[in-house]
Amino acid sequence: MNNNEATQASREELEEMIAQSDTGARSPAGIPGKILIGVPLLWSLFQLWYASPLPFIFRFAILNDTEARAIHLAFAIFLAFTAYPAWKNSPRDRIPIQDWVFALVGSFSAAYLYTAYAALAERPGAPITFDLVVAVCGMVLLLEATRRALGPPLMVVCAVFLIYTFGGPYMPDVIAHKGASLSKTMSHQWLGTEGVFGVALGVSTSFVFLFVLFGSLLDKAGAGNYFIKVAFSLLGHMRGGPAKAAVVSSGMSGLISGSSIANVVTTGTFTIPLMKRVGFPGTKAGAVEVAASTNGQLTPPIMGAAAFLMVEYVGVSYVEVIKAAILPALISYIALVYIVHLEALKANMQGLPRRHERTMAQSLFAYSTTFIGIAIVTALVYYGIGWMKGVFGAAAVWIVGIGVLISYVGLLWYAARYPELEMDDPNSAVLELPEVGPTIKSGLYFLLPVVILVWCLTVERFSPGLSAFWATVFMIFILLTQRPLLAYFRAQGALSNAARQGGQDLFDGLVAGARNMIGIGVATAAAGIVVGTVTLTGIGLVMTEFVEFISGGNIMLMLGFTAIISLILGMGLPTTANYIVVSTLMAPVIVTLGAQSGLIVPLLAVHLFVFYFGILADDTPPVGLAAFAAAAIAQSDPIRTGIQGFTYDIRTAILPFLFIFNTQLLLMGIGNWFELLVTILSAITAMLIFAAATQGYWLVRSRWWETLALLLIAFTLFRPGFWWDKVYPPMESVAATQIEEVARQLPDGLPLRMVAEGETLDGDKVRKTVLLSLQPGTSGKERLAQAGLETRTESGRIFVDNLVFGSAAEKAGLDFDWEIQSVEKSIDRLPKQLLFIPTLLLLAGVGAVQLGRRRKQVASA
């Protein structure tokens, strides 16, 4: 077998791996094949209709959330049984009759909440026999669909939770409960919105599908190839350049693919052979691609599906999730590029040759003019649109729309002056880097739909679903017009052929987007079983007691326990399901027990913690499928590739632990632009130093004490408050009787911090630290009342006398008759960032030692 045949065989194996994990491995001919194309197409069209304003304009097919979720799941279950074979030896070229039966019965059971919506609403909690038959059939078939699309692990987890629901009285005392009847369980899990048709499936229906469809259309338009070539042209000439290009292109490919495996295959088939060409061993080449691709789901503005679930679970806007995730994602990718650079230095690798070498001055001039140009255009667009809204009112939308169309046509005309980008063969004997300028200019119009998406999310503050809808509509327009317009501008003729090809690209993108959603659809539905079990049985309270017992109340042990659970479950569960299961069980525990130990942990930080470790499981041996995909391309051992990839991802693994204790890394609690700048620069510096420490190489190979010094420096830059708080405590406790005085003096925007103690509904005595948000007011009593808190004094002790339902005080965790034992008051102290001065001096000392050693090595060489 020659190289081309071997490459083709490897490519087919990779496509089969993606099909088995993401889109389904069946490809029958004839009418079944057409159904497997037609049903996904209908699913995409349904989702576009549901997300659009058209139902309200035409007053037709207006669906509520529950009805839409039912139809969404019906599509997912039908395709899970028809697209995914039951077993490895099941036929791929036809669909057995039993699978048709399962598909139809399963989709009917899911759609039952739509077809029988009015009848079910009239008998809540009192199902008839037919309701129960449908619910039981639906539950069983959902578990089987989950097994087919995602493998046994998630199905087993859901089955265990169902067994726990029914077998509560027979469980060990520590986790026992009174149990639930079949009628109650099915009403809760299937015939209502607490279980299968809960929040997770709702997010999949409203948000996730449109973002996946947007990415699919962007890929069909050629954006994936464009991002890879741009990264390659910019970075390929550097030391280990192809690896650096792999990191950047995988980050940009996160816009397109929510799947780590698909990201590996998309970029890895090009970058991994190039990495091997410049000197990377196969194991490390595959590991770099794995580390970069798994982190693609962490990169805003389009993150993994679990990020959209945070919007509902935490109760924040998607913009807040993006804001919190952007700095950790940025420093994680910068560190991976630096790790690649250090690997290249250790092995004395070189980059690939450019056709025309540029001087340093030319490079600086090009980068600076590009940056200034982008800043000017951004300012003109932002303030220009703001001005138009004020002047033209409602008509400004049409003016902006026309401006976008003119920009699109102008960028296409500009792109037509350059040859169309085609993916080179990375195994060819001679391979030169593409020119930077022409490469970037040939696809600038691909950035317009991304700009529209970000604009709608961050400036217009549309919902994620509506933002993705308008971005997707623009992508549909691009797919239909880019080929004919490029053919016209290039005077290539045959416009009808180009238009036909554009229509085919759109058709393929709509089908591929829906098939990419099969696994996510059934995963969010199945994970709803876990959520439903928690709300039905009260296992969440049991978990709190269990984790508190294991950890002894130590927050670090709790976080480590959560991380291990996420990694273990993530070996078999997809990221979305893993996030739902672990966050449902562990996030409230960490927040509750953290407060009891005096650490206020924002709920968003805990959910991001779970999200990070769920994604890291994609390259965790022995099951990480992303590592297997990369190893297949690199022709390396998958276990060693996974282990190497995880060592590269240590930099990402430490971030969640750090931002739990230093929420400024999530851009929380930052008061001004200078503090923001210091936070960003210190975090980037810390991550680069940490990368150098873990690689054992900075300016030269590090000695053990230098590695320890670098780790100390990195920790201090990440969390200066750890040392500063030991010297200068940030708070002082004052008597609870001063609560009104402290509340009066508290600056606007800062929460009141207090320690409270009382009994829960279960009779357990609890002591915890509480943060109470206060509104501006003239007196402390007034500000407390606005927050929903009234107190009384008994024998010099302060108790909660009244608590307004739904108020800030209730949400903070206070309860009636709890005693407020003390109030914590901020102490004026020097900023903790002063610790950066001795830290940077220590860094300079280590650098001087290593620089001297490097000079000696050069002199003796």
Side-chain angles (χ1 to χ4, degrees), residues 372-491:
I372 293 171
I374 291 173
I376 292 173
V377 170
T378 301
L380 289 174
V381 170
Y382 182 82
Y383 292 106
I385 293 178
W387 172 79
M388 281 190 291
K389 283 183 177 180
V391 174
F392 298 104
V397 174
W398 297 100
I399 297 172
V400 171
I402 293 171
V404 170
L405 290 179
I406 293 173
S407 301
Y408 166 64
V409 174
L411 289 173
L412 265 181
W413 171 80
Y414 194 49
R417 299 165 59 186
Y418 302 96
E420 187 173 352
L421 293 179
E422 294 183 2
M423 193 66 75
D424 299 322
D425 179 7
N427 297 301
S428 63
V430 178
L431 183 67
E432 289 184 331
L433 292 175
E435 293 287 346
V436 175
T439 302
I440 294 176
K441 295 170 186 174
S442 65
L444 284 172
Y445 61 92
F446 286 128
L447 301 180
L448 279 177
V450 179
V451 170
I452 289 174
L453 175 64
V454 175
W455 180 274
C456 290
L457 281 170
T458 59
V459 179
E460 300 295 341
R461 295 300 177 110
F462 291 164
S463 69
L466 188 58
S467 301
F469 169 75
W470 288 117
T472 302
V473 167
F474 190 62
M475 272 309 311
I476 291 173
F477 177 75
I478 288 178
L479 280 166
L480 290 174
T481 59
Q482 70 166 343
R483 289 183 181 274
L485 287 174
L486 285 172
Y488 174 75
F489 290 139
R490 289 170 176 160

Side-chain angles (χ1 to χ4, degrees), residues 215 312 406 706 743:
E312 298 296 325
I406 293 173
E706 292 171 339

Side-chain angles (χ1 to χ4, degrees), residues 32 80 262 661 760 776:
F661 295 97
T760 65

Side-chain angles (χ1 to χ4, degrees), residues 291-313:
S293 295
T294 52
N295 282 196
Q297 296 183 65
L298 303 174
T299 310
I302 303 176
M303 302 164 67
F308 301 103
L309 289 165
M310 281 185 221
V311 173
E312 298 296 325
Y313 285 165

Side-chain angles (χ1 to χ4, degrees), residues 590-654:
I590 294 173
V591 172
T592 300
L593 297 184
Q596 291 179 15
S597 62
L599 176 67
I600 303 297
V601 184
L603 187 57
L604 179 57
V606 179
H607 278 258
L608 280 171
F609 182 95
V610 175
F611 180 49
Y612 263 61
F613 279 100
I615 289 172
L616 287 175
D618 279 350
D619 65 0
T620 304
V623 188
L625 292 179
F628 277 81
I633 301 171
Q635 298 178 348
S636 61
D637 179 76
I639 301 299
R640 291 180 59 198
T641 301
I643 293 172
Q644 184 67 56
F646 192 75
T647 61
Y648 290 154
D649 266 339
I650 289 175
R651 77 202 191 287
T652 306
I654 69 158

